[in-house]
Amino acid sequence: TEDDKLTNSGATSKISASCNPSYHCCSCMSHITKPVVICMTLIFAQRFALESIVGSTSIITKNRYGWRIKNVGTLHLVNGLIVIPVSLLSGYLSTFYEDRFMALCFLVIALGGMTILFDPTDLVNQENYSYNSDDLLSTNSVEYIIGSLISFSGIEACESFVASLISKVIPSALAQGTFNAGLLETLVGTGGRATGDVFITLMGLRSIRGLLNLLIIPGAVLIGTSVLLVLANYEILAV
């Protein structure tokens, strides 16, 4: 009958729409909630800040401290090794505290590490080729290592809690299909790393001598903003 033809036509159009990638994308975006946006923002900020620290290690340490490749490799090795006990500690603490609280704590820890990396003497004096080694307030190689380890560990640990948090606040509609929460999280994280790499290049073109502060200050601002973002939306992140 005519009604059956209309019904079949409507069903066919729905199936065709559901097979369209743009349909899935629009459907995915329409189900994104405020807690999901907050978590995605945190992921982007953390990846950007982490890439600014890790991706610039070789060029900063070579120009400031005269490091060789093996020194940079050793620092990255220690960074990788220290993540293991930090991850175990994070897993243990997750049984006692909420994800939002732990994410906030590790964001503050990462911010503290980036504060150690900040060199206030470079703001007033960049006459030396390497760094102001005669000034007690300058960031020497030991402080750089400590700040890098703290920042790296804090951001990596925080990411695990943000990932756990997003899995709990995600709507059920985003847990299926191609354009789901996992894909969005990957895209946001990759975008943060790519943006961080581009930012390193741009700041390097501006000044190799002052590259440390040029990267640390924006990264610290992003992490500090992330702390405020979590505090301002602490209640809606409750799961």
Side-chain angles (χ1 to χ4, degrees):
T1 63
E2 191 68 25
D3 291 339
D4 292 336
K5 290 181 180 179
L6 291 175
T7 302
N8 293 334
S9 177
T12 303
S13 61
K14 289 181 179 180
I15 294 174
S16 300
S18 63
C19 295
N20 191 345
S22 61
Y23 172 84
H24 287 292
C25 183
C26 295
S27 177
C28 174
M29 299 301 294
S30 65
H31 289 95
I32 293 180
T33 60
K34 186 176 181 180
V36 175
V37 173
I38 293 173
C39 291
M40 294 294 183
T41 303
L42 295 177
I43 292 173
F44 181 89
Q46 291 168 17
R47 279 298 170 183
F48 179 93
L50 186 62
E51 193 67 22
S52 297
I53 297 172
V54 177
S56 63
T57 299
S58 59
I59 187 171
I60 288 178
T61 54
K62 177 183 177 181
N63 289 277
R64 286 180 66 92
Y65 313 120
W67 283 17
R68 297 182 178 181
I69 295 178
K70 64 178 183 180
N71 303 118
V72 178
T74 301
L75 177 58
H76 287 322
L77 174 63
V78 175
N79 271 331
L81 292 177
I82 203 172
V83 167
I84 298 175
V86 170
S87 299
L88 294 176
L89 177 62
S90 301
Y92 174 75
L93 293 175
S94 65
T95 60
F96 299 99
Y97 302 99
E98 295 180 335
D99 292 331
R100 56 178 180 170
F101 176 75
M102 294 307 305
L104 182 62
C105 289
F106 279 105
L107 279 173
V108 173
I109 291 174
L111 184 60
M114 300 184 77
T115 303
I116 297 175
L117 292 172
F118 172 67
D119 191 340
T121 64
D122 281 350
L123 298 178
V124 295
N125 181 18
Q126 293 189 12
E127 296 179 357
N128 297 327
Y129 177 73
S130 56
Y131 75 105
N132 304 315
S133 56
D134 55 340
D135 197 317
L136 294 177
L137 295 178
S138 64
T139 303
N140 55 42
S141 58
V142 176
E143 291 173 333
Y144 182 86
I145 293 173
I146 294 174
S148 178
L149 292 175
I150 294 176
S151 302
F152 184 86
S153 302
I155 293 176
E156 287 290 345
C158 181
E159 282 191 350
S160 63
F161 289 105
V162 174
S164 175
L165 189 62
I166 196 174
S167 67
K168 298 174 182 176
V169 302
I170 199 75
S172 58
L174 291 179
Q176 55 187 350
T178 303
F179 293 92
N180 52 32
L183 178 61
L184 289 177
E185 185 177 349
T186 302
L187 292 175
V188 171
T190 303
R193 288 193 296 269
T195 306
D197 289 332
V198 172
F199 189 71
I200 292 174
T201 302
L202 294 176
M203 293 301 100
L205 293 174
R206 178 178 179 182
S207 173
I208 293 294
R209 172 63 178 81
L211 185 59
L212 179 61
N213 281 349
L214 289 175
L215 296 177
I216 293 303
I217 293 177
V221 170
L222 278 178
I223 297 299
T225 303
S226 298
V227 171
L228 297 178
L229 185 64
V230 174
L231 289 174
N233 299 277
Y234 198 72
E235 293 301 323
I236 67 174
L237 294 175
V239 286

